[in-house]
Amino acid sequence: MTKTILRALAGETLPTPPIWMMRQAGRYLPEYRATRAQAGDFLSLCYTPDLAAEVTLQPIRRFGFDAAILFADILLVPQALGADLWFVTGEGPRLSTITDASAVQALKPADAVHDRLSPIYETLRILSRELPSETTLIGFAGASWTVATYMIAGRGTKDQAPAHAFMQADRAAFSALIDRITEATIEYLSAQIEAGAEVVKLFDSWAGSLKGDDFDDFCMAPIARIVTALKQRHPGIPVIAFPREAGERYKGFAKATGADCVALDNSVAPDWAAANVQSDGCVQGNLAPGHMVTGGQALIDETRAIVQAFRGGPHIFNLGHGITPDADPENVALMIETVRKS
Ligand code: CP3
């Protein structure tokens, strides 16, 4: 029997949507916090295959999700390209910054990801051996625009102003940076697929701050290029794209990029998305992560409404963004039970 997630990605409408959750391995789980303490810090956890595989498996054991997502981070690609990367506890990631054309020139070539990120491929090989036979293994990378915003600013930013400023000041150098990230991402995801990833997902967390031609050139075009290259090298590999907060631009996104599934953030109304996005294929989403903190009847009602809205087509149930550290694991169990009973 083909795995449920792969069936949904192939366009099949299932009686019950398969489920997984963004950031399902994370700080809301006591067993994650214990393994992370053992690793010492977040990056050591990412680069220690046995421990990264262990935290990937924890939510599968506890909740029986239909997919496991590789435990790693989107910022490992900039690190492989030569950026300094560190995490400040309680604040988030910090990187050395890229502010001009010469800094783009100085980046390592795309195939640097093969050596530098070899522990990540080892994590995937362990997972392909250890996952239950019904569980799909998802690999991932950041999409080019989102990764560029971190490389330019050196940190997460509210409005991505430094990246927009670089784009305005030197569109050619900015495009060269996007191209380098795109090429590295093709190599990286290709190696993930060879190591056992059955699906790959592209996270464009800051897609919502691109408008008009910039959305076409720096969100859609790089994703289309990655999807085309991966499908050439690995025929049939399904790709999920997450252009978070794309709004109206969710419409037509799958067709324009070749993605098999579009992940919806929780600002999108499920009925609108059923009519305008699911009409082109599988969708994923889109319960607000806050329900994993607050729980109760609102969680049940909203979960049922989402399942109902997407019942007529291929759907993978997920949150609209990552689960937060203050979430209650009991609410995750309640969400899963509600989906499977709906
Ligand atoms: O979904 C998963 O469980 C897979 C693992 C995963 C992580 N990060 C682990 C992580 C994935 C897919 C990501 C993607 C990621 N990383 C994105 C795109 C998705 C999104 O959230 O929009 C981004 C923007 C990053 C960069 C990043 N990594 C930030 C901004 C932070 C700090 C914010 C925070 O939550 O602390 C991280 C750290 C990070 N990545 C953690 C985890 C579990 C928390 C680190 C810890 O244990 O202290």
Side-chain angles (χ1 to χ4, degrees), residues 20-27 32 36 42 45-46 69-75 87 89-93 140 142 146 150 156 203-206 242 244 321-323 325:
W20 68 281
M21 200 172 66
M22 284 185 262
R23 292 274 169 98
Q24 62 191 20
R27 287 162 291 181
Y32 170 85
R36 190 181 176 294
F42 174 67
L45 180 52
C46 292
I69 183 160
L70 164 72
F71 190 85
D73 199 83
I74 67 165
L75 300 177
F87 280 80
T89 310
E91 288 186 40
F140 75 91
T146 290
Y150 285 94
F203 286 86
D204 217 347
S205 303
W206 300 119
F242 182 33
R244 192 169 72 89
H321 200 190
I323 189 170

Side-chain angles (χ1 to χ4, degrees), residues 281-297:
C282 188
V283 291
Q284 178 178 282
N286 68 338
L287 185 68
H291 287 292
M292 298 300 103
V293 181
T294 53
Q297 194 58 41

Side-chain angles (χ1 to χ4, degrees), residues 17 270-271 274 278 302-312 315 342:
D271 289 328
Q278 198 186 28
E302 196 52 35
T303 299
R304 283 188 184 146
I306 290 168
V307 172
Q308 200 55 40
F310 293 122
R311 185 146 258 168
H315 176 217
S342 286

